[in-house]
Amino acid sequence: MEVSAPDGSFEVQVRKAIVLASGSKAATLPDLPIDEQRIVTSAGALSLTAAPRHLAVIGGGYVGLELGSVWRRLGSEVTVVEVLDRIASGVDSEMSTALHKVLEAQGFQFCLAHKVVGSRMEADDVVLEVEPMGDGARGTIKADVVLVSIGRRPATDGLDLETVGIKPDPRGYIPVDDGFRTSAEGVYAIGDVIGGAMLAHKAEEEGIALAERLAGAAGHVDYGTIPAVVYTWPELASVGRTEDDLKAAGVAYRVGRFPFSANAMAKARLEKNGLVKVLADAGTDRILGVHILGPDAGSLIHEAVAVMQFGAAAEDVARTSHAHPTLPEALREACLAVADRTIHL
């Protein structure tokens, strides 16, 4: 198999496999032309040379909230416009509501269940026209910087996949089997281009698993224990099932919660917002999901990832000694709460 540039500037002879891992790019809106100065994607938002006076964020997902959190802490007024009735729609709804309250207390303004229907330039500002998803009158939001953060799409344009018989699906994703094989012999795909969670560490796990398979080993990815982190402040981290998922699937479960306001280290650090939430199977006590809103949640979640990888029960964590005072004690307390045995609450 050969890979070459259109102008013939290079050529690669491939003997065993080609792996497509071209990633993703920011999705955009047709009525909001990106200039990366006043109307920006995440790349432009990271390159601003000064804090915006007013940052309007279109999209209440991970990236929009993270960048809004950064610029809010640097003094910008931040308004988030989201078509759904809540932010961070992919996370546990209780945690989404808790994050909303924390960010609102920090000065975020939210315009939920609204969509952007038009825009115009007015001096140094962008004026967005927004309207409710249901009944109601249109309104306007004026901002000197608008961040378009409505998700990402696979970066498959220009790869000429059809020349080797690969046809992306209607959304641009490359179909693969459970071994990451595409429809073309010897061509594999991983990461954002095949769908699923668009997370760097998810793509990394797929790359490692594929490399192991190509080397004759048994590579495997457990998608049920891949963590996700929203890097706001405080952070929101999750792994496994949400309570919404379990209810919809009719799974019997128990819930344990523990607030950081009762954790000694969180109180000492003056970072008492948030909680740990543990979901466990009602029959077996096996941990089905863990959700953490609070200080260093992105680091704390990895204890949950590790124990879930080995099929641990909430009682296993509850009976494991945790140093005092530390933030991880909150996870132990939430696991104790699954059986109504909380110690420090």
Side-chain angles (χ1 to χ4, degrees):
M1 186 176 294
E2 298 180 359
V3 180
S4 61
D7 62 359
S9 59
F10 70 89
E11 184 176 288
V12 179
Q13 299 289 331
V14 181
R15 293 187 178 182
K16 189 166 187 178
I18 291 176
V19 180
L20 301 173
S22 50
S24 61
K25 54 187 178 182
T28 58
L29 293 169
D31 295 331
L32 284 172
I34 302 296
D35 61 14
E36 298 296 14
Q37 294 180 9
R38 287 192 292 180
I39 302 177
V40 303
T41 63
S42 56
L46 289 170
S47 302
L48 297 174
T49 58
R53 182 185 72 258
H54 184 184
L55 174 67
V57 180
I58 303 176
Y62 285 32
V63 175
L65 296 175
E66 289 169 349
L67 290 170
S69 181
V70 169
W71 289 112
R72 177 62 194 141
R73 280 176 280 156
L74 291 173
S76 300
E77 181 182 348
V78 176
T79 300
V80 177
V81 183
E82 168 59 50
V83 298
L84 300 178
D85 60 0
R86 68 182 179 103
I87 61 172
S89 61
V91 307
D92 185 277
S93 59
E94 179 182 1
M95 306 305 284
S96 170
T97 299
L99 177 61
H100 182 142
K101 291 179 179 178
V102 170
L103 295 179
E104 198 166 49
Q106 293 174 2
F108 269 67
Q109 299 177 55
F110 292 100
C111 185
L112 303 182
H114 278 70
K115 62 181 178 179
V116 175
V117 294
S119 67
R120 67 179 186 273
M121 297 296 179
E122 189 175 284
D124 292 330
D125 290 323
V126 182
V127 180
L128 300 176
E129 295 182 21
V130 299
E131 69 177 18
M133 299 303 293
D135 296 330
R138 285 190 179 186
T140 59
I141 296 172
K142 181 184 292 188
D144 52 325
V145 177
V146 174
L147 167 60
V148 179
S149 183
I150 57 172
R152 301 185 64 82
R153 60 187 184 88
T156 51
D157 298 340
L159 295 182
D160 294 329
L161 298 175
E162 66 280 357
T163 62
V164 292
I166 297 175
K167 184 179 180 180
D169 70 15
R171 295 185 296 167
Y173 293 109
I174 298 174
V176 295
D177 66 11
D178 58 6
F180 307 109
R181 299 178 187 86
T182 70
S183 55
E185 183 66 28
V187 181
Y188 300 79
I190 62 168
D192 292 358
V193 294
I194 67 172
M198 288 188 168
L199 301 169
H201 50 283
K202 174 260 196 186
E204 181 181 25
E205 291 301 311
E206 291 173 339
I208 292 170
L210 176 55
E212 289 174 337
R213 289 180 180 220
L214 292 174
H220 172 69
V221 179
D222 183 353
Y223 291 101
T225 56
I226 292 180
V229 184
V230 185
Y231 294 101
T232 48
W233 193 256
E235 295 172 344
L236 172 59
S238 303
V239 64
R241 306 285 293 276
T242 67
E243 187 169 4
D244 311 81
D245 293 337
L246 298 177
K247 286 180 178 178
V251 176
Y253 64 92
R254 291 181 295 175
V255 184
R257 299 178 180 85
F258 190 80
F260 278 103
S261 60
N263 174 265
M265 180 58 76
K267 289 193 286 186
R269 289 172 48 168
L270 302 180
E271 296 177 297
K272 299 185 291 182
N273 285 321
L275 74 155
V276 179
K277 178 178 181 179
V278 174
L279 301 163
D281 186 277
T284 65
D285 196 40
R286 181 172 180 170
I287 299 174
L288 303 176
V290 175
H291 308 276
I292 304 174
L293 173 65
D296 297 341
S299 296
L300 298 179
I301 197 66
H302 291 90
E303 180 180 358
V305 173
V307 300
M308 287 176 64
Q309 189 71 52
F310 290 94
E315 186 176 1
D316 293 326
V317 177
R319 290 187 177 276
T320 301
S321 178
H322 287 62
H324 176 80
T326 60
L327 295 173
E329 287 181 285
L331 175 60
R332 183 192 187 192
E333 293 277 9
C335 286
L336 283 163
V338 169
D340 297 320
R341 295 170 51 218
T342 308
I343 297 172
H344 295 100
L345 185 63

